[in-house]
Amino acid sequence: MVVVFAASSGIVIHWFGRVESVHRKNAPWSYQCLLSYQRSALQLLRSWRGTLMDVGLICLSSGFLAMIYAPREYEPSLVDSLKNITEPFHVLQRCTNSTLIPKGLGGEVCDLLLLPRDDPFFGEATMGVMAISLAAVASALRVFTPDRAMFERESFQRASTLAYYAGKNAVHFSVSLVGPMLFAAIFFGFTENRASFAELYILFMLVHTAASSLVFIVSAAVAPKNAQLVSIFSILVCLIFGGTAPTLRQMLEYNQPLLYLAGGSYVRWANELFYSLQIRHFNEAAQAAATVMYGYIVEDMWNDYFTIIAIIFVFRFVAYAMLVRSEK
């Protein structure tokens, strides 16, 4: 990664000259964006110890997660084990049809029958998303928090602040590409997975990007000395509304307003996507159990992808708006 940044920085320097161009405000937007990219890449190179620390934290958290879940495999529900006694899908149909579930004991029996005997995917989704989100905080805080003065200078000189913002985002996105790849490689190599490596990598990359986008908002909104604490708190709020405790089904039954709040949390969609990627390789009983127990709908995977991407764009737009507002 360091070699890539060094090469790209050298090319930009050769093509466009020094960063501190006095004619920058009259230059095309693409030129200003490349200058911002070059400067940001050089800053990343100079802080290579911090970058290595970020990558190390990602690898360490993935390793600990793999140690916890490596010995465990998904074991289907009791309904699945009754194939030689009765039709499991007949029992499942009665349990998933709310009009056939009596209040009280009947529903509890159905829940017990549908509950997987061992379900590591649910815990892996929660812990994996939390681990890579918290690991993203350190690198994202170094993007705008120590460089607010530069943003103000760009605005004062009437250069394009959007070009500056785009260049900084482009450089940091490379961190969101490399870090999750290592996280997914360690996790995929030491745990039982039905999802492919590419699917896990894309998911973790989106989670890292979404968490970084949230930290960008915090960097623009609060004082630098409070940015780290507020960033971690913001990630934890997203985890609270992530649909694990309470589950989406419990929110729907007991507190529907929470379900709307959960819709704005990227963690809620990432958890469902992770679980769906794993459980879709099992039979219909296991997939239906995911809906009954957790409120996850396996068929909505593409909706999960698009929702996370939409949240990322909204967060990035809000972060830019906050930077402009704070500068004024």
Side-chain angles (χ1 to χ4, degrees):
M1 183 176 65
V2 174
V3 174
V4 171
F5 281 125
S8 62
S9 300
I11 292 173
V12 174
I13 291 173
H14 177 72
W15 283 353
F16 297 106
R18 297 173 61 235
V19 173
E20 296 81 4
S21 172
V22 295
H23 305 293
R24 187 167 59 251
K25 67 179 181 180
N26 299 320
W29 185 87
S30 57
Y31 176 88
Q32 297 184 51
C33 187
L34 284 171
L35 290 177
S36 175
Y37 174 86
Q38 178 234 339
R39 180 170 54 231
S40 301
L42 289 175
Q43 289 174 339
L44 187 63
L45 283 172
R46 290 166 183 162
S47 61
W48 61 270
R49 291 184 179 86
T51 303
L52 289 179
M53 177 67 72
D54 297 338
V55 174
L57 288 175
I58 289 176
C59 294
L60 192 64
S61 59
S62 182
F64 286 148
L65 191 66
M67 288 174 58
I68 295 172
Y69 290 100
R72 297 179 57 183
E73 296 183 16
Y74 181 87
E75 297 183 15
S77 64
L78 290 173
V79 172
D80 235 19
S81 65
L82 298 176
K83 290 183 178 179
N84 297 327
I85 302 175
T86 184
E87 284 290 334
F89 294 108
H90 176 67
V91 178
L92 183 64
Q93 185 179 9
R94 293 184 59 84
C95 286
T96 55
N97 189 339
S98 59
T99 62
L100 298 177
I101 300 178
K103 297 293 182 182
L105 183 61
E108 294 176 0
V109 171
C110 283
D111 288 350
L112 181 62
L113 289 174
L114 290 170
L115 185 67
R117 287 170 290 174
D118 189 14
D119 185 6
F121 299 147
F122 192 70
E124 287 174 356
T126 304
M127 300 302 293
V129 170
M130 178 179 68
I132 199 163
S133 295
L134 292 176
V137 171
S139 62
L141 280 175
R142 286 198 298 271
V143 177
F144 294 109
T145 301
D147 209 25
R148 294 274 288 274
M150 180 61 69
F151 184 85
E152 294 176 1
R153 192 183 77 173
E154 294 288 313
S155 178
F156 178 76
Q157 294 180 350
R158 296 185 179 180
S160 173
T161 55
L162 182 59
Y164 167 83
Y165 184 74
K168 298 284 282 188
N169 273 266
V171 171
H172 185 265
F173 185 65
S174 61
V175 178
S176 294
L177 290 175
V178 175
M181 180 176 62
L182 298 175
F183 188 96
I186 296 173
F187 181 81
F188 184 81
F190 293 96
T191 58
E192 292 293 331
N193 291 280
R194 296 303 179 96
S196 67
F197 171 78
E199 290 171 334
L200 291 177
Y201 169 56
I202 293 173
L203 169 60
F204 291 139
M205 183 267 293
L206 289 175
V207 171
H208 191 280
T209 306
S212 299
S213 303
L214 181 59
V215 176
F216 289 168
I217 296 177
V218 174
S219 299
V222 304
K225 64 180 180 179
N226 300 324
Q228 185 174 18
L229 178 62
V230 177
S231 296
I232 295 174
F233 176 77
S234 302
I235 297 294
L236 292 178
V237 169
C238 289
L239 291 168
I240 290 172
F241 296 106
T244 52
T247 63
L248 297 180
R249 178 190 174 186
Q250 291 170 335
M251 292 181 185
L252 181 63
E253 290 181 353
Y254 306 117
N255 198 338
Q256 290 195 20
L258 285 180
L259 197 60
Y260 298 110
L261 291 175
S265 170
Y266 72 92
V267 176
R268 172 256 185 272
W269 304 102
N271 285 341
E272 181 178 40
L273 180 56
F274 181 95
Y275 197 90
S276 299
L277 289 172
Q278 302 282 9
I279 206 66
R280 71 191 178 102
H281 296 281
F282 291 85
N283 58 25
E284 295 179 14
Q287 296 180 28
T291 302
V292 173
M293 299 305 303
Y294 310 127
Y296 294 155
I297 303 176
V298 179
E299 293 79 9
D300 282 355
M301 285 193 304
W302 285 109
N303 180 59
D304 297 334
Y305 278 117
F306 289 130
T307 304
I308 297 173
I309 293 173
I311 290 174
I312 291 172
F313 276 102
V314 170
F315 282 177
R316 300 271 167 149
F317 174 80
V318 172
Y320 176 69
M322 293 295 294
L323 281 171
V324 173
R325 183 178 180 276
S326 64
E327 182 272 331
K328 292 181 180 180

